């Protein structure tokens, strides 16, 4: 589990450091997976323990982190959508999808 | 309260001039004057009580946890200074009304002036040193505005910048000093600090605190070697110079030394630091003043010199010296403000302040001449004017003070300073007004209108009155102020004749020597000009320039607008900080047993890792990377399901669908491949950063998971109260809609805003512009599938839609007790609707859509808000939920909670936001020439005439 978080973070970070918008978006998505799992895992993992109250259950998982992550997932979708749109708009405006446009990049497409 | 009001009045009044300037300059000046007069009146009402020895307090709690309270107090010293600030302020307002030309923005001037006045009054009335520091910095800022008032003059801007840099730096030092002082005394209240003299002077931190506070005072009061900023600040309009440099800004340093006198003074450190600095400043500045041709520069250096005199007196640490210091503060304020105003009048009338071009004004401007002469004679210390009185007291104190055992040293230098003082004062008169009338004045001089010379006239009357009858006119004020300074009862004896004391002989020597010096001025001036001397401004610029360059270099190195660099720096910083904390702290291995591992999760884990690695390796192929993202998302959602989080699993998988569709839509317009642009070195660097980040986060969560929480989790509370308090057994959902309902409310709002942002961006792209042109000329480069809208797909989605809607409603209704809820239901319905778009195309579907997504979002947020507000009517806090059980005949008994209404809001917002986001991007596709189908399904045959644009 921890290694998965680590790998996802590393991959996300690496992709964000690329110079084109699309890898950055994908990297951001990976990073948000990593963060979500991180938060989720900070509630300690449990297999086959219900988060729903019932009379038979012996114990419960941590519902709090689940609730946090649930909204986080939805919000990160919203953010991804905004960034995609920004990237798209920028690409259509300038004809390039480079992110750091300080150097001359006309015709880079 | 009223003390706080006195300090607040100028700040409140600062709004008025800006507004009233529209009704004319007189109204503007009048409003400013009224505010000041009102504050002065309120001060006057307190005066009788203060003079009878009372101390008035006003206490307002501000940030008690920090020890920062808006406490004010008024004693004799505060009364003297507040009176000077407001009284002279009133005269300056009158004078400035006539001084400023019609081209100058007068509203701004008065606003700045009142801000400054408020800050000054705040300093002298503060009973809390932190509050005092706030006001102290405010004076630096507002004086910056005042000095740089003539923005078009480079000297004005430079002078203002220099003043701000010097006094601001001093202010920083003083903050440190004050904090130390507060720590020693155990309180930040002045009234407490003033009682703890022994504790403070015995402390090891006494000397650092003293030095730091004195740095603040010396920079503010332009003491040697920080005196250089004051003459440059003379680029300000004369009313500003008169105000700042006679009664206020530069006196703030003196005030603070006087205020801290009972605590800090009386030690050898204090004597050598303060008295020596004062003496050096007095002599050096007086000598420079003698050789300045600019009237205002002369006055500026004389101000520095007189400030040095007062500083020296305060440095002696004796009661008599403190009395002399207080008295001289009053006298200096009167004659120096008058002289500045006279210099301003001369400048205003003749258009020059250069002594070499003046002279002979005696006949042309008799009133100004009379006023200047009296004020200058007072400055020179000629009897019977008030300047003479305080100078005699100063010389008397100096005469019996030894410096490091040398009895003659102090008297000799003090006499020298006084001698220079006489010389430059007389030069002001002799070279400015006496002598023959010249023909080459830049403008024909004559006396100004009454309004302009009224203010200096009042001051001159005052100084003559003090000079002739010191005890009745000023004695009471000196008693009160000096009493407050020294912390005991004081009865000053001010008189002209003390007998044939050493002070008298020193005075005589000074006046005689001054006359001789003046007569020999011409050769002396030549010698002065011939000797090289350090130019303070050049030194200052020399220090500042490399600093500015370095700052710019750092800023541009870190902040060059490149996203990847920001991200790299931020990541490295976070990882480094984390690593540093980890390596320096102590660490023990985890104690919590790891969760046992089965085969299936291992396979899942392997898939996840493989997909991620493949994604990184093949990220140049964008479609492929999208597939890998999908794999990762799927595994993650399965992982949630496995690890007892059904709600999360549902949400994740739905979001995954929406995300992939979104990215596919976007990819239609983006390049399909990412070119490799970075070199190996860059890739290695990024890889190293990424690995470090991954190691950091992975290690952190590993350590976190292998031990139990340090504190009992608040989750138990939620578990215990979900059923009883929120009425649901699905704790996750109850947390979302009830316990943390306010968070959720914020989150759906954010989601709605995000969708609207996407919509707005789409609108921008679709407006006429390069993007729109590009879209209109879009040509599909890659081969398309033959079936645009395959029959099977269309039929299947139609069948699925009602089922999906049902599932959505089911999930929604059961959400409170079983996995589900508004978020998930919204996503389910959204995905179902998306399928319709995919199957039959955007145009066909939107023609059949009856709801605006914007409205969905708005209604959703409003319903959620209404559900929250509803609980107000039941007398409960926002978003408290109530619940009950309802049985509708065909259904099972189910629960109805107000939280459910809130959840409907969540549902609608999520649905609306997802749909709006994706539909917006689809509109771009339509603009790019995608054909809109007329029928629900069609086949894309080359050359057929299907569809319409």
């Amino acid at each position: 589990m921890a290694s998965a978080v680590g790998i996802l973070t590393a991959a996300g970070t690496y992709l964000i450091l690329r110079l084109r918008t699309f890898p950055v978006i994908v990297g951001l998505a990976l990073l948000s997976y990593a963060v979500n799992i991180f938060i989720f895992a900070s509630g300690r993992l449990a297999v086959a323990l219900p988060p729903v109250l019932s009379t038979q259950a012996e114990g419960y998982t941590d519902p709090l982190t689940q609730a946090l992550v649930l909204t986080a997932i939805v919000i990160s979708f919203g953010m991804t959508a905004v960034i995609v749109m920004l990237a798209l708009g920028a690409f259509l405006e300038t004809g390039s999808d480079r992110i750091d446009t300080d150097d001359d990049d006309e015709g880079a497409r | 309260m009223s003390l706080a009001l006195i300090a607040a009045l100028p700040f409140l009044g600062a709004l008025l001039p800006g507004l009233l300037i529209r009704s004319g300059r007189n109204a503007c000046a009048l409003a400013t004057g009224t505010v000041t007069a009102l504050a002065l009146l309120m001060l006057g009402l307190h005066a009788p009580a203060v003079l009878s020895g009372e101390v008035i307090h006003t206490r307002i709690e501000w940030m008690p946890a920090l020890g920062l309270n808006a406490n004010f107090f008024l004693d004799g010293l505060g009364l003297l200074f507040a009176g000077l600030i407001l009284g002279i302020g009133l005269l300056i307002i009158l004078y400035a009304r006539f001084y400023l030309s019609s081209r100058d923005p007068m509203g701004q001037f008065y606003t700045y002036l009142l801000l400054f006045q408020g800050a000054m009054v705040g300093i002298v009335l503060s009973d809390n040193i932190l509050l005092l520091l706030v006001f102290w910095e405010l004076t630096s800022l507002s004086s910056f505005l005042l000095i740089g008032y003539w923005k078009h003059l480079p000297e004005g801007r430079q002078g203002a910048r220099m003043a701000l840099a010097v006094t601001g730096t001093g202010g920083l030092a003083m903050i440190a000093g004050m904090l130390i002082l507060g720590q020693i005394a155990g309180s930040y209240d002045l009234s407490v600090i003033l009682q703890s003299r022994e504790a403070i002077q015995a402390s090891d931190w006494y000397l650092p605190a003293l030095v730091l506070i004195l740095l603040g005072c010396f920079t503010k009061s332009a003491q040697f070697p920080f005196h250089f900023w004051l003459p440059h600040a003379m680029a300000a309009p004369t009313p500003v110079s008169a105000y700042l440099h006679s009664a206020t800004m530069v006196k703030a340093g003196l005030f603070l030394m006087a205020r801290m006198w009972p605590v800090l003074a009386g030690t050898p450190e204090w004597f050598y630091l303060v008295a020596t600095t004062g003496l050096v400043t007095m002599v050096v500045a007086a000598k420079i003043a003698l050789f300045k041709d600019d009237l205002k520069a002369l006055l500026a250096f004389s101000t520095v010199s007189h400030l040095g005199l007062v500083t020296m007196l305060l440095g002696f640490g004796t009661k008599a010296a403190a009395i002399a210091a207080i008295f001289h503060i009053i006298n200096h304020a009167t004659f120096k403000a008058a002289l500045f105003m006279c210099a301003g009048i001369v400048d205003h009338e003749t258009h020059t302040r250069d002594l070499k071009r003046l002279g002979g004004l005696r006949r042309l401007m008799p009133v100004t001449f009379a006023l200047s002469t009296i004020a200058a004679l007072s400055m020179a210390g000629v009897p019977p004017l008030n300047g003479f009185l305080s100078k005699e007291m100063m010389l008397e104190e100096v005469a019996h003070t030894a410096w490091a055992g040398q009895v003659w040293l102090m008297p000799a230098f003090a006499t020298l300073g006084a001698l220079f003082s006489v010389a430059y004062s007389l030069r002001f008169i002799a070279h400015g007004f006496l002598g023959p009338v010249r023909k080459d004045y830049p403008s024909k001089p004559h006396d100004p209108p009454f309004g302009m010379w009224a203010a200096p006239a009042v001051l001159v009357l005052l100084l003559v009155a003090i000079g002739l009858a010191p005890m009745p006119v000023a004695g009471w004020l000196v008693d009160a102020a000096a009493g407050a300074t020294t912390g005991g009862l004081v009865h000053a004896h001010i008189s002209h004749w003390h007998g044939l004391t050493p002070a008298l002989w020193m005075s005589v020597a000074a006046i005689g020597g001054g006359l001789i010096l003046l007569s020999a001025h011409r050769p002396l001036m030549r010698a002065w000009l011939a000797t090289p001397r350090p130019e303070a401004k050049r030194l200052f610029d020399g220090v500042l320039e490399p600093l500015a360059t370095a700052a710019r270099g750092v800023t541009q190195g870190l902040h060059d607008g490149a996203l990847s660099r920001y991200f790299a720096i931020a990541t490295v910083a976070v990882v480094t900080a984390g690593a540093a904390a980890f390596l320096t702290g102590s660490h023990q291995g985890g104690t919590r047993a790891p969760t046992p591992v089965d085969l299936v999760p291992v396979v899942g884990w392997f898939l996840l890792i493989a997909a991620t690695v493949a994604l990184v390796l093949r990220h140049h192929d964008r479609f492929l990377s999208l597939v890998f993202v999908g794999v990762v998302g799927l595994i993650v959602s399965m992982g949630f399901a496995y690890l007892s989080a059904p709600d999360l699993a549902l949400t994740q998988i739905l979001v995954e669908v929406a995300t992939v569709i979104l990215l596919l839509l976007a990819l239609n317009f983006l390049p399909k491949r990412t070119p490799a642009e970075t070199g190996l070195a860059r890739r290695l660097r990024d890889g190293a950063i990424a690995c470090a980040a991954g190691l950091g986060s992975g290690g952190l969560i590993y350590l976190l998971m292998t031990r139990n929480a340090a504190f009992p989790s608040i989750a138990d509370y939620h578990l215990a109260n979900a059923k009883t308090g929120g009425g649901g057994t699905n704790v996750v959902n109850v947390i979302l809609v009830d316990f943390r309902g306010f968070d959720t409310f914020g989150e759906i709002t954010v989601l709605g805003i995000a969708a609207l942002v996407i919509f707005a961006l789409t609108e921008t792209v679709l407006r006429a512009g390069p993007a729109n042109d590009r879209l209109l000329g879009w040509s599909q480069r890659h081969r398309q599938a033959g079936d645009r809208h395959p029959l099977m797909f269309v039929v299947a989605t139609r069948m699925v839609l009602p089922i999906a809607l049902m599932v959505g409603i089911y999930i929604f209704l059961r959400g409170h007790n079983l996995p589900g809820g508004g978020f998930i239901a919204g996503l389910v319905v959204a995905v179902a609707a998306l399928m319709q778009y995919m199957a039959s195309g955007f145009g066909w579907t939107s023609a059949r859509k009856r709801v605006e997504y914007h409205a969905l979002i708005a209604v959703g947020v409003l319903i959620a808000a209404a559900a929250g507000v509803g609980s107000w009517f039941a007398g409960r806090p926002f978003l408290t939920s109530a619940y009950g059980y309802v049985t509708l005949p065909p259904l099972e008994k189910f629960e109805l909670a107000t939280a459910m209404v809130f959840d409907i809001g969540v549902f609608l917002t999520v649905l609306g936001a997802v749909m709006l986001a994706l539909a917006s991007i689809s509109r771009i596709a339509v603009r790019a020439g995608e054909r809109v189908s007329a029928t629900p399904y069609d086949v894309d045959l080359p050359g057929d005439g299907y569809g319409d644009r």
Side-chain angles (χ1 to χ4, degrees), chain B residues 91-110:
Chain B
L91 296 176
I92 294 288
I93 291 166
L94 170 68
Y95 177 76
R97 161 62 190 87
F98 294 93
Y99 180 85
L100 291 179
S101 78
S102 49
R103 285 190 306 279
D104 296 323
M106 190 184 258
Q108 266 179 35
F109 179 83
Y110 280 131

PDB file of all heavy atoms in Angstrom, chain B residues 91-110:
ATOM      1  N   LEU B  91      -2.016  74.335  12.947  1.00  0.00           N
ATOM      2  CA  LEU B  91      -1.371  75.466  12.270  1.00  0.00           C
ATOM      3  C   LEU B  91      -0.879  75.053  10.888  1.00  0.00           C
ATOM      4  O   LEU B  91      -0.969  75.836   9.927  1.00  0.00           O
ATOM      5  CB  LEU B  91      -0.203  75.974  13.110  1.00  0.00           C
ATOM      6  CG  LEU B  91      -0.594  76.556  14.469  1.00  0.00           C
ATOM      7  CD1 LEU B  91       0.641  76.932  15.255  1.00  0.00           C
ATOM      8  CD2 LEU B  91      -1.489  77.765  14.296  1.00  0.00           C
ATOM      9  N   ILE B  92      -0.354  73.824  10.789  1.00  0.00           N
ATOM     10  CA  ILE B  92       0.162  73.358   9.503  1.00  0.00           C
ATOM     11  C   ILE B  92      -0.961  73.248   8.491  1.00  0.00           C
ATOM     12  O   ILE B  92      -0.802  73.574   7.307  1.00  0.00           O
ATOM     13  CB  ILE B  92       0.845  71.980   9.681  1.00  0.00           C
ATOM     14  CG1 ILE B  92       2.088  72.102  10.549  1.00  0.00           C
ATOM     15  CG2 ILE B  92       1.198  71.364   8.337  1.00  0.00           C
ATOM     16  CD1 ILE B  92       3.239  72.780   9.903  1.00  0.00           C
ATOM     17  N   ILE B  93      -2.126  72.792   8.953  1.00  0.00           N
ATOM     18  CA  ILE B  93      -3.261  72.651   8.038  1.00  0.00           C
ATOM     19  C   ILE B  93      -3.626  74.021   7.466  1.00  0.00           C
ATOM     20  O   ILE B  93      -3.863  74.173   6.257  1.00  0.00           O
ATOM     21  CB  ILE B  93      -4.451  72.005   8.776  1.00  0.00           C
ATOM     22  CG1 ILE B  93      -4.122  70.543   9.082  1.00  0.00           C
ATOM     23  CG2 ILE B  93      -5.716  72.099   7.955  1.00  0.00           C
ATOM     24  CD1 ILE B  93      -5.053  69.908  10.066  1.00  0.00           C
ATOM     25  N   LEU B  94      -3.650  75.016   8.356  1.00  0.00           N
ATOM     26  CA  LEU B  94      -3.938  76.374   7.902  1.00  0.00           C
ATOM     27  C   LEU B  94      -2.899  76.844   6.897  1.00  0.00           C
ATOM     28  O   LEU B  94      -3.214  77.368   5.819  1.00  0.00           O
ATOM     29  CB  LEU B  94      -3.952  77.311   9.125  1.00  0.00           C
ATOM     30  CG  LEU B  94      -3.996  78.800   8.831  1.00  0.00           C
ATOM     31  CD1 LEU B  94      -5.347  79.153   8.228  1.00  0.00           C
ATOM     32  CD2 LEU B  94      -3.770  79.605  10.094  1.00  0.00           C
ATOM     33  N   TYR B  95      -1.626  76.617   7.252  1.00  0.00           N
ATOM     34  CA  TYR B  95      -0.529  77.093   6.417  1.00  0.00           C
ATOM     35  C   TYR B  95      -0.539  76.392   5.056  1.00  0.00           C
ATOM     36  O   TYR B  95      -0.382  77.010   4.010  1.00  0.00           O
ATOM     37  CB  TYR B  95       0.780  76.821   7.160  1.00  0.00           C
ATOM     38  CG  TYR B  95       2.028  77.171   6.419  1.00  0.00           C
ATOM     39  CD1 TYR B  95       2.422  78.499   6.290  1.00  0.00           C
ATOM     40  CD2 TYR B  95       2.832  76.183   5.865  1.00  0.00           C
ATOM     41  CE1 TYR B  95       3.586  78.820   5.617  1.00  0.00           C
ATOM     42  CE2 TYR B  95       3.994  76.496   5.195  1.00  0.00           C
ATOM     43  CZ  TYR B  95       4.363  77.819   5.075  1.00  0.00           C
ATOM     44  OH  TYR B  95       5.506  78.136   4.411  1.00  0.00           O
ATOM     45  N   ALA B  96      -0.805  75.072   5.082  1.00  0.00           N
ATOM     46  CA  ALA B  96      -0.756  74.307   3.836  1.00  0.00           C
ATOM     47  C   ALA B  96      -1.864  74.738   2.883  1.00  0.00           C
ATOM     48  O   ALA B  96      -1.697  74.694   1.660  1.00  0.00           O
ATOM     49  CB  ALA B  96      -0.892  72.807   4.128  1.00  0.00           C
ATOM     50  N   ARG B  97      -2.988  75.179   3.454  1.00  0.00           N
ATOM     51  CA  ARG B  97      -4.086  75.630   2.604  1.00  0.00           C
ATOM     52  C   ARG B  97      -3.600  76.729   1.654  1.00  0.00           C
ATOM     53  O   ARG B  97      -3.978  76.784   0.493  1.00  0.00           O
ATOM     54  CB  ARG B  97      -5.227  76.143   3.490  1.00  0.00           C
ATOM     55  CG  ARG B  97      -6.257  77.039   2.827  1.00  0.00           C
ATOM     56  CD  ARG B  97      -6.990  76.303   1.718  1.00  0.00           C
ATOM     57  NE  ARG B  97      -7.796  77.207   0.922  1.00  0.00           N
ATOM     58  CZ  ARG B  97      -7.347  77.882  -0.133  1.00  0.00           C
ATOM     59  NH1 ARG B  97      -6.085  77.756  -0.491  1.00  0.00           N
ATOM     60  NH2 ARG B  97      -8.122  78.671  -0.809  1.00  0.00           N
ATOM     61  N   PHE B  98      -2.719  77.596   2.168  1.00  0.00           N
ATOM     62  CA  PHE B  98      -2.246  78.698   1.327  1.00  0.00           C
ATOM     63  C   PHE B  98      -0.969  78.348   0.591  1.00  0.00           C
ATOM     64  O   PHE B  98      -0.613  78.980  -0.388  1.00  0.00           O
ATOM     65  CB  PHE B  98      -2.043  79.956   2.183  1.00  0.00           C
ATOM     66  CG  PHE B  98      -3.328  80.488   2.724  1.00  0.00           C
ATOM     67  CD1 PHE B  98      -3.775  80.112   3.976  1.00  0.00           C
ATOM     68  CD2 PHE B  98      -4.118  81.323   1.954  1.00  0.00           C
ATOM     69  CE1 PHE B  98      -4.974  80.568   4.460  1.00  0.00           C
ATOM     70  CE2 PHE B  98      -5.325  81.792   2.437  1.00  0.00           C
ATOM     71  CZ  PHE B  98      -5.754  81.408   3.693  1.00  0.00           C
ATOM     72  N   TYR B  99      -0.261  77.361   1.120  1.00  0.00           N
ATOM     73  CA  TYR B  99       1.031  77.048   0.511  1.00  0.00           C
ATOM     74  C   TYR B  99       0.877  76.229  -0.764  1.00  0.00           C
ATOM     75  O   TYR B  99       1.519  76.497  -1.765  1.00  0.00           O
ATOM     76  CB  TYR B  99       1.894  76.275   1.517  1.00  0.00           C
ATOM     77  CG  TYR B  99       3.255  75.915   0.968  1.00  0.00           C
ATOM     78  CD1 TYR B  99       4.293  76.835   1.038  1.00  0.00           C
ATOM     79  CD2 TYR B  99       3.485  74.684   0.374  1.00  0.00           C
ATOM     80  CE1 TYR B  99       5.535  76.524   0.524  1.00  0.00           C
ATOM     81  CE2 TYR B  99       4.724  74.374  -0.145  1.00  0.00           C
ATOM     82  CZ  TYR B  99       5.747  75.296  -0.065  1.00  0.00           C
ATOM     83  OH  TYR B  99       6.967  74.989  -0.576  1.00  0.00           O
ATOM     84  N   LEU B 100       0.000  75.235  -0.725  1.00  0.00           N
ATOM     85  CA  LEU B 100      -0.117  74.333  -1.864  1.00  0.00           C
ATOM     86  C   LEU B 100      -0.715  75.075  -3.053  1.00  0.00           C
ATOM     87  O   LEU B 100      -1.653  75.845  -2.912  1.00  0.00           O
ATOM     88  CB  LEU B 100      -1.007  73.147  -1.510  1.00  0.00           C
ATOM     89  CG  LEU B 100      -0.422  72.164  -0.497  1.00  0.00           C
ATOM     90  CD1 LEU B 100      -1.416  71.064  -0.218  1.00  0.00           C
ATOM     91  CD2 LEU B 100       0.879  71.588  -1.005  1.00  0.00           C
ATOM     92  N   SER B 101      -0.170  74.826  -4.205  1.00  0.00           N
ATOM     93  CA  SER B 101      -0.695  75.495  -5.393  1.00  0.00           C
ATOM     94  C   SER B 101      -1.909  74.725  -5.890  1.00  0.00           C
ATOM     95  O   SER B 101      -2.182  73.606  -5.470  1.00  0.00           O
ATOM     96  CB  SER B 101       0.371  75.554  -6.480  1.00  0.00           C
ATOM     97  OG  SER B 101       0.466  74.299  -7.097  1.00  0.00           O
ATOM     98  N   SER B 102      -2.630  75.340  -6.787  1.00  0.00           N
ATOM     99  CA  SER B 102      -3.887  74.731  -7.226  1.00  0.00           C
ATOM    100  C   SER B 102      -3.632  73.465  -8.034  1.00  0.00           C
ATOM    101  O   SER B 102      -4.539  72.672  -8.252  1.00  0.00           O
ATOM    102  CB  SER B 102      -4.673  75.730  -8.062  1.00  0.00           C
ATOM    103  OG  SER B 102      -3.820  76.282  -9.045  1.00  0.00           O
ATOM    104  N   ARG B 103      -2.366  73.266  -8.473  1.00  0.00           N
ATOM    105  CA  ARG B 103      -2.092  72.048  -9.240  1.00  0.00           C
ATOM    106  C   ARG B 103      -1.889  70.830  -8.340  1.00  0.00           C
ATOM    107  O   ARG B 103      -1.993  69.709  -8.778  1.00  0.00           O
ATOM    108  CB  ARG B 103      -0.840  72.255 -10.105  1.00  0.00           C
ATOM    109  CG  ARG B 103      -1.062  73.121 -11.316  1.00  0.00           C
ATOM    110  CD  ARG B 103       0.135  73.061 -12.226  1.00  0.00           C
ATOM    111  NE  ARG B 103       1.378  73.385 -11.528  1.00  0.00           N
ATOM    112  CZ  ARG B 103       1.777  74.627 -11.282  1.00  0.00           C
ATOM    113  NH1 ARG B 103       1.044  75.641 -11.671  1.00  0.00           N
ATOM    114  NH2 ARG B 103       2.911  74.847 -10.662  1.00  0.00           N
ATOM    115  N   ASP B 104      -1.557  71.100  -7.075  1.00  0.00           N
ATOM    116  CA  ASP B 104      -1.291  69.968  -6.186  1.00  0.00           C
ATOM    117  C   ASP B 104      -2.602  69.348  -5.721  1.00  0.00           C
ATOM    118  O   ASP B 104      -3.535  70.068  -5.378  1.00  0.00           O
ATOM    119  CB  ASP B 104      -0.495  70.438  -4.958  1.00  0.00           C
ATOM    120  CG  ASP B 104       0.869  70.948  -5.358  1.00  0.00           C
ATOM    121  OD1 ASP B 104       1.461  70.365  -6.274  1.00  0.00           O
ATOM    122  OD2 ASP B 104       1.313  71.955  -4.770  1.00  0.00           O
ATOM    123  N   PRO B 105      -2.659  68.015  -5.700  1.00  0.00           N
ATOM    124  CA  PRO B 105      -3.886  67.373  -5.206  1.00  0.00           C
ATOM    125  C   PRO B 105      -4.012  67.528  -3.699  1.00  0.00           C
ATOM    126  O   PRO B 105      -3.377  66.810  -2.926  1.00  0.00           O
ATOM    127  CB  PRO B 105      -3.708  65.901  -5.599  1.00  0.00           C
ATOM    128  CG  PRO B 105      -2.257  65.718  -5.793  1.00  0.00           C
ATOM    129  CD  PRO B 105      -1.664  67.026  -6.161  1.00  0.00           C
ATOM    130  N   MET B 106      -4.827  68.484  -3.285  1.00  0.00           N
ATOM    131  CA  MET B 106      -4.876  68.837  -1.868  1.00  0.00           C
ATOM    132  C   MET B 106      -5.555  67.765  -1.022  1.00  0.00           C
ATOM    133  O   MET B 106      -5.184  67.535   0.126  1.00  0.00           O
ATOM    134  CB  MET B 106      -5.592  70.160  -1.710  1.00  0.00           C
ATOM    135  CG  MET B 106      -5.490  70.737  -0.329  1.00  0.00           C
ATOM    136  SD  MET B 106      -6.464  72.216  -0.209  1.00  0.00           S
ATOM    137  CE  MET B 106      -5.212  73.459  -0.330  1.00  0.00           C
ATOM    138  N   GLY B 107      -6.551  67.103  -1.609  1.00  0.00           N
ATOM    139  CA  GLY B 107      -7.253  66.068  -0.850  1.00  0.00           C
ATOM    140  C   GLY B 107      -6.286  64.992  -0.381  1.00  0.00           C
ATOM    141  O   GLY B 107      -6.277  64.607   0.787  1.00  0.00           O
ATOM    142  N   GLN B 108      -5.425  64.559  -1.301  1.00  0.00           N
ATOM    143  CA  GLN B 108      -4.418  63.554  -0.953  1.00  0.00           C
ATOM    144  C   GLN B 108      -3.538  64.044   0.183  1.00  0.00           C
ATOM    145  O   GLN B 108      -3.261  63.329   1.123  1.00  0.00           O
ATOM    146  CB  GLN B 108      -3.513  63.307  -2.154  1.00  0.00           C
ATOM    147  CG  GLN B 108      -3.940  62.164  -3.021  1.00  0.00           C
ATOM    148  CD  GLN B 108      -2.986  62.029  -4.192  1.00  0.00           C
ATOM    149  OE1 GLN B 108      -1.795  62.277  -4.056  1.00  0.00           O
ATOM    150  NE2 GLN B 108      -3.520  61.652  -5.325  1.00  0.00           N
ATOM    151  N   PHE B 109      -3.124  65.307   0.055  1.00  0.00           N
ATOM    152  CA  PHE B 109      -2.196  65.853   1.035  1.00  0.00           C
ATOM    153  C   PHE B 109      -2.794  65.782   2.427  1.00  0.00           C
ATOM    154  O   PHE B 109      -2.178  65.290   3.367  1.00  0.00           O
ATOM    155  CB  PHE B 109      -1.868  67.300   0.685  1.00  0.00           C
ATOM    156  CG  PHE B 109      -0.941  67.944   1.665  1.00  0.00           C
ATOM    157  CD1 PHE B 109       0.415  67.759   1.559  1.00  0.00           C
ATOM    158  CD2 PHE B 109      -1.439  68.701   2.709  1.00  0.00           C
ATOM    159  CE1 PHE B 109       1.275  68.330   2.465  1.00  0.00           C
ATOM    160  CE2 PHE B 109      -0.584  69.279   3.626  1.00  0.00           C
ATOM    161  CZ  PHE B 109       0.775  69.101   3.502  1.00  0.00           C
ATOM    162  N   TYR B 110      -4.036  66.256   2.553  1.00  0.00           N
ATOM    163  CA  TYR B 110      -4.648  66.273   3.882  1.00  0.00           C
ATOM    164  C   TYR B 110      -4.919  64.871   4.388  1.00  0.00           C
ATOM    165  O   TYR B 110      -4.856  64.598   5.588  1.00  0.00           O
ATOM    166  CB  TYR B 110      -5.927  67.111   3.856  1.00  0.00           C
ATOM    167  CG  TYR B 110      -5.650  68.596   3.922  1.00  0.00           C
ATOM    168  CD1 TYR B 110      -6.233  69.485   3.045  1.00  0.00           C
ATOM    169  CD2 TYR B 110      -4.788  69.094   4.891  1.00  0.00           C
ATOM    170  CE1 TYR B 110      -5.975  70.838   3.101  1.00  0.00           C
ATOM    171  CE2 TYR B 110      -4.518  70.441   4.957  1.00  0.00           C
ATOM    172  CZ  TYR B 110      -5.113  71.319   4.060  1.00  0.00           C
ATOM    173  OH  TYR B 110      -4.840  72.648   4.141  1.00  0.00           O
TER     174      TYR B 110
END
